[in-house]
Amino acid sequence: MKWVQEILNNLSTIGVVLVRYDGEQGSYRRPTTHQCVTHFLLVLFSIGFLLYCIWEQYSIFAMAIYAFDDATFILSTASFIVAWFVVPLVSCARGDRLIYTLNNLLENDTDLSRLHAIQSSVRMSYRKAKWFGRMIQYESIACCLLLSAGYTILYSFQPEAWYLYLTIGIYLYEDLCLSWLFGFYSTIMMHCVDQLSYAAQLLQEDHAHTLDERVRVFCKTYERVCRAVARSFFEYTGPVIATFCTLVMFEGSLKLYHVYDVFIRGVNEIVWTEHMLNVIECLWLCFDVKKLFIVMYISGMLQQKVEETALCTRHFDDYRLQNTRAAKQIQKFLLKNLHQKKKFSACGFFDIDNTVIYMVFSSIVTYLVILIQFKQLETDLTQAGDGYNVTSNVSTVQP
């Protein structure tokens, strides 16, 4: 699992995952307290600066005139702050679950490698997961560079205050961190899929002298992936995925509302810089949806592979298993796992599978309708303002 260690080193460099590999002990462990505190202070600085930007840019007078637009911006920033704050909080509070997951994967690799040395007909290779993890990192960097180029071109024609550039840099840094983090989640799940595939292949091999060992390794691998790895891993990733889903739902509804607002006002009445800003924001939304889709798709693959691996033992008919210890292990395995449907959830909020994508899109449409209704209400109140004097709780007609 050297390639997993490389990914973890990259994530530790940008301060997302607080786990490191101890070569002397041959296991994963927490980093030093200094690294944890430094990362947490960096996140607090980013959050504090974004709150300062809100205070600096939006006065009470502006809120009174553009209440709807400013309120949506503040809520959007708040959703980002919550999603960004959850990442270090989970890394510190639930880092032991990730360490437990990675150490169990190491034990699976050790058992499968030892059995593979005896039976060389099954070729072990984690090439797909390895290249997938690297591709996600390179693709995330390319997306951030594309967005940075877009903002650079935009603000070269439309200069803004200095703090706006730093705000965009914080957002791009957060996007890169979340892209690498979600890519790491998907890579770990692909690694679990590969381990289950190799365990099932080894079980079907025709080597009588290793029959008991093959059955033992198969049952142990399945048990670690389904109970030790999956349960601890999704307990670790659940809060991050849940808050990110909320962020995507809210951001998606806002971006679609901006597109709707452009359509209502007319394309010709809007300057090209605003069109470019809308394109960049919609492109950013597509990148966020891509992160979520990959995690849900790979999670569905893992769930399907778990079910297929359990079913493969039903067709494992070997006369040598009659009245043996291996036969008892297979029977015990079937009784425990065959009729139990495995589901992976985000801390019990929802199941992490393809159905989340439909839930997100339906929520985006619902929030979009609500935003349009609120905007229409604000427009009606503004148009009626000439004939009414609005006080704190009572509206009286002007003389």
Side-chain angles (χ1 to χ4, degrees), residues 253 257 362-376:
S253 60
Y257 169 75
S362 62
S363 300
I364 288 175
V365 175
T366 302
Y367 295 152
L368 175 62
V369 173
I370 295 174
L371 289 174
I372 294 175
Q373 290 176 344
F374 271 106
K375 183 62 176 179
Q376 185 63 41

Side-chain angles (χ1 to χ4, degrees), residues 344-362:
F344 308 130
S345 66
C347 297
F349 292 108
F350 51 82
D351 293 334
I352 302 178
D353 53 23
N354 295 328
T355 59
V356 176
I357 303 299
Y358 300 104
M359 179 189 71
V360 169
F361 279 107
S362 62

